[in-house]
Amino acid sequence: MEKLDALRQTLPDHSKDLKLNIQSVLSQSKLEAPRLWGCALASAVATGDDELVAATLADAEAAGVAAESLEDARAAASLMAMNNVYYRFRHFMGGSYDDLPARLRMNRIARPASNKVDFELFSLVVSAINGCEMCVQSHEKVVIEGGVTREQVHDAVRIGAVVAGLATGLRQR
């Protein structure tokens, strides 16, 4: 976690909790490395903070995470940027648009580079960051059915929350 450690040291004093939390959520997780770092990278991409993305990517690569998992994390963040807006709109409208097809390409969800459950977990975390209730529920159902435990889902969302907070703290420097 060398690059993220260096980055977290640049946080202002008012972000001390984030300094501690990023270290804690990444070192005490029940997630295996590909899922842990995939969630962290997808979250960093979702925040739009290039410095945070670069540090997270470097640490994920240093941890030996396969390129396919990291590519899926980036793809999940990009795809959820679209889906979360669209499905949040449909949810806001109380079903009055549910009869219309989305007609948005989402092939990557069905054919990820790594595996479907991990891609869905990355999508869940980004959907939580983006505040899309429908997407969070949909992805959570798939990952639970795919064998991810509640504790692992919880850890994944905690990672997303802290990475999102970290991005905000970094903008305060």
Side-chain angles (χ1 to χ4, degrees):
M1 231 178 67
E2 177 183 335
K3 299 293 183 184
L4 280 173
D5 277 343
L7 192 58
R8 76 184 180 94
Q9 295 307 320
T10 69
L11 286 167
D13 287 341
H14 63 76
S15 293
K16 181 179 180 181
D17 288 331
L18 292 167
K19 287 182 182 182
L20 299 172
N21 286 334
I22 192 64
Q23 184 177 25
S24 173
V25 297
L26 293 177
S27 65
Q28 299 173 11
S29 174
K30 296 182 186 310
L31 295 168
E32 296 173 7
R35 288 181 176 169
L36 180 143
W37 286 106
C39 288
L41 182 58
S43 300
V45 171
T47 71
D49 187 302
D50 293 337
E51 188 178 17
L52 183 55
V53 171
T56 306
L57 179 60
D59 285 348
E61 289 172 339
V65 177
E68 294 83 8
S69 290
L70 301 176
E71 211 35 50
D72 276 348
R74 284 184 235 159
S78 298
L79 195 54
M80 291 308 107
M82 172 186 71
N83 282 4
N84 295 157
V85 170
Y86 178 75
Y87 286 103
R88 209 169 44 237
F89 164 77
R90 284 179 59 160
H91 180 74
F92 289 158
M93 300 310 295
S96 62
Y97 287 84
D98 288 356
D99 62 319
L100 300 174
R103 288 195 299 254
L104 299 172
R105 290 183 55 92
M106 297 179 252
N107 293 333
R108 185 67 179 261
I109 293 176
R111 291 186 289 285
S114 61
N115 70 74
K116 179 146 177 69
V117 174
D118 288 2
F119 193 94
E120 292 277 350
L121 185 64
F122 307 155
S123 297
L124 177 137
V125 172
V126 173
S127 296
I129 290 169
N130 291 338
C132 183
E133 180 181 357
M134 285 180 66
C135 292
V136 168
Q137 290 175 353
S138 173
H139 296 298
E140 190 267 352
K141 182 178 188 249
V142 173
V143 300
I144 293 294
E145 288 173 355
V148 178
T149 67
R150 288 178 63 245
E151 292 81 7
Q152 290 170 322
V153 169
H154 186 251
D155 280 358
V157 175
R158 288 177 65 236
I159 290 168
V162 173
V163 170
L166 188 59
T168 300
L170 291 170
R171 286 191 295 273
Q172 305 286 321
R173 293 180 293 176

